[in-house]
Amino acid sequence: MTKNIFGLDLTSLQDEVKQLGMPAFRAGQILEWLYQKNIYDFSLMTNLSLKLREELPKIFSIDCGKIIIQKNSIDKQTSKFLVEFADKTAVETVLMRQSYGNSICISSQAGCKLGCGFCASTLHGFQRDLTSGEMLAQAMKSQAIVTKEGQHINNIVIMGSGEPLLNYNNVIQFIHLVHEKYCMNIGYRNITISTSGIVPMIKKLAEENLPLTLSISLHAPDDVLRSHLMPINNQYPLQSVIQAADFYAEKTKRRITYEYILIDHINDNLLQAKQLVNLLSHKLANVNLIPLNSVVERGFRRPSSKRIKTFTDFLQNHHINVTLRKEMGTDIDAACGQLRNKHLDKTNK
Ligand code: SAH
């Protein structure tokens, strides 16, 4: 069986080509074709020796996935697409064209194990971890789209389907790769990891000494409600998550973002806003409020604009840095996992 070359970094590929009895510099040439020129056929890599062009396909495949569905929002700011890999695993990626740059939201796993009550990604269960190459494929597909618009990808958020810290090694490998100049040259500060709060892995991430942005999905200000919404809270309760995030902020000097989905009459009353202030006052943190994207199967609703405003104002008046997530792509199934679910529903029929 051939090995997928897409997603290898320079050092690993240098080792591979040396084993083939070829000089190490060939690895750089191959990666330039793959990561800069978007050429996915060894026979077209014209600066390689003929022998190498013939040998490579016997050892390597090039699986950079293909876009099988793409939806663009009416305002053209958001594109959402499903990337399918050779084994038919499909994952979704969102491209958001914002005034401060182009951001992409990529998936780290196909499906999810966590079972959060409001989330669509979990509805079909967990399929498998994605490799670093499959995460890179999502980023490069997005780059190819914006290249046609004369643009670049500026920010990557690992906030699509899956829990990145439960696929730790592949995610870290991807982050290093996408940062490389020979790849996409994305600064670490422009990369965000969003986690439901896998405490030991947050601590491990802090020790990597990378200035990544860390987002914590909080969604409730007390353990009872948080465990109800996010079963992972039974394993890693609220205070342990906040302590781990403090450790991350201390180590990296990076401000933590706490994500808080607003769900009508579940976590959006003023007492809860007050509890949230108590938890986060005087921390190097900001709160990103996300009005729920309704997932019909889940039965939770988005609060009224009035309730959203009251909650937001309360936090602001108590000196919490708050941002209210701007809605993008609601006309194209923007909630995590919705596009993939529709695809799975169709293909399973
Ligand atoms: N597992 C990671 C990353 C994936 S979820 C995490 O939990 O952070 C990315 C973000 O989208 C999380 O904050 C998640 O809670 C949020 N999210 C999931 N379903 C949503 C929905 N229906 N509406 C709004 N945000 C949602």
Side-chain angles (χ1 to χ4, degrees):
M1 217 184 84
T2 52
K3 175 175 175 177
N4 186 13
I5 197 171
F6 196 86
L8 290 188
D9 65 12
L10 187 58
T11 324
S12 321
L13 190 56
Q14 279 171 341
D15 289 346
E16 301 267 359
V17 297
K18 274 191 257 169
Q19 277 176 29
L20 287 176
M22 301 282 172
F25 76 89
R26 293 294 188 196
Q29 292 179 314
I30 297 168
L31 291 191
E32 194 181 350
W33 287 108
L34 290 176
Y35 300 153
Q36 303 283 328
K37 298 181 181 161
N38 301 349
I39 294 295
Y40 306 129
D41 178 344
F42 292 119
S43 69
L44 300 177
M45 300 184 179
T46 45
N47 58 356
L48 305 182
S49 66
L50 198 57
K51 180 163 178 276
L52 191 56
R53 272 182 265 166
E54 281 166 5
E55 285 303 308
L56 285 170
K58 296 180 193 156
I59 303 156
F60 293 112
S61 56
I62 306 177
D63 181 12
C64 59
K66 58 172 191 263
I67 296 183
I68 55 166
I69 303 176
Q70 180 173 343
K71 288 187 168 191
N72 303 311
S73 64
I74 292 165
D75 65 10
K76 296 204 164 52
Q77 275 190 293
T78 310
S79 301
K80 181 159 195 167
F81 47 90
L82 209 58
V83 182
E84 188 183 75
F85 299 104
D87 70 348
K88 298 284 172 208
T89 296
V91 295
E92 59 194 80
T93 309
V94 189
L95 160 65
M96 291 155 286
R97 301 165 183 87
Q98 285 147 334
S99 52
Y100 53 85
N102 297 306
S103 300
I104 53 170
C105 177
I106 67 160
S107 297
S108 56
Q109 296 179 315
C112 188
K113 296 176 184 168
L114 293 179
C116 297
F118 44 78
C119 184
S121 299
T122 220
L123 287 171
H124 284 89
F126 176 70
Q127 194 177 351
R128 66 169 174 83
D129 282 335
L130 297 186
T131 63
S132 57
E134 289 167 338
M135 289 179 247
L136 180 65
Q138 297 174 65
M140 292 208 32
K141 299 278 173 226
S142 312
Q143 179 61 61
I145 294 173
V146 296
T147 299
K148 290 190 197 130
E149 300 162 12
Q151 302 264 325
H152 291 285
I153 296 299
N154 308 96
N155 304 293
I156 297 183
V157 297
I158 308 176
M159 208 184 263
S161 293
E163 170 49 55
L165 297 189
L166 291 180
N167 186 15
Y168 190 88
N169 292 341
N170 290 344
V171 165
I172 293 294
Q173 218 179 323
F174 161 68
I175 287 171
H176 284 301
L177 182 58
V178 84
H179 171 75
E180 291 288 353
K181 283 213 170 57
Y182 63 78
C183 194
M184 288 181 67
N185 196 19
I186 307 274
Y188 290 123
R189 285 167 196 277
N190 296 94
I191 301 177
T192 299
I193 295 190
S194 177
T195 180
S196 58
I198 312 295
V199 169
M201 292 303 166
I202 295 174
K203 292 185 180 154
K204 190 166 179 196
L205 187 66
E207 305 285 3
E208 303 275 351
N209 268 324
L210 296 171
L212 304 168
T213 305
L214 183 67
S215 259
I216 304 274
S217 294
L218 205 64
H219 307 329
D222 68 83
D223 274 320
V224 174
L225 180 59
R226 192 165 190 270
S227 296
H228 173 67
L229 295 174
M230 304 173 68
I232 192 75
N233 191 69
N234 290 307
Q235 206 174 336
Y236 304 115
L238 195 57
Q239 281 302 342
S240 67
V241 174
I242 292 179
Q243 269 167 21
D246 284 347
F247 178 72
Y248 187 89
E250 170 73 33
K251 271 264 169 193
T252 61
K253 308 288 177 239
R254 303 283 292 157
R255 185 180 286 274
I256 303 291
T257 298
Y258 285 96
E259 290 160 85
Y260 194 99
I261 296 179
L262 289 167
I263 313 174
D264 193 33
H265 285 87
I266 301 281
N267 67 353
D268 65 340
N269 70 38
L270 274 187
L271 181 65
Q272 288 159 325
K274 198 169 169 195
Q275 286 173 300
L276 193 55
V277 169
N278 289 340
L279 283 176
L280 302 181
S281 277
H282 311 298
K283 290 196 188 296
L284 185 62
N286 50 290
V287 174
N288 189 13
L289 294 175
I290 313 167
L292 178 80
N293 275 317
S294 298
V295 178
V296 189
E297 301 88 331
R298 292 289 180 183
F300 289 128
R301 285 187 318 270
R302 167 181 297 206
S304 64
S305 325
K306 184 160 174 263
R307 284 181 78 83
I308 294 173
K309 183 168 183 335
T310 311
F311 197 94
T312 311
D313 289 349
F314 187 91
L315 298 190
Q316 262 161 357
N317 293 338
H318 290 80
H319 314 292
I320 301 281
N321 284 305
V322 190
T323 46
L324 184 62
R325 178 165 309 168
K326 197 176 136 228
E327 291 209 50
M328 295 188 80
T330 40
D331 54 327
I332 51 166
D333 301 324
C336 302
Q338 284 183 328
L339 187 60
R340 178 169 178 269
N341 286 347
K342 280 198 184 158
H343 174 67
L344 290 177
D345 288 343
K346 246 190 251 157
T347 48
N348 289 342
K349 263 176 202 155

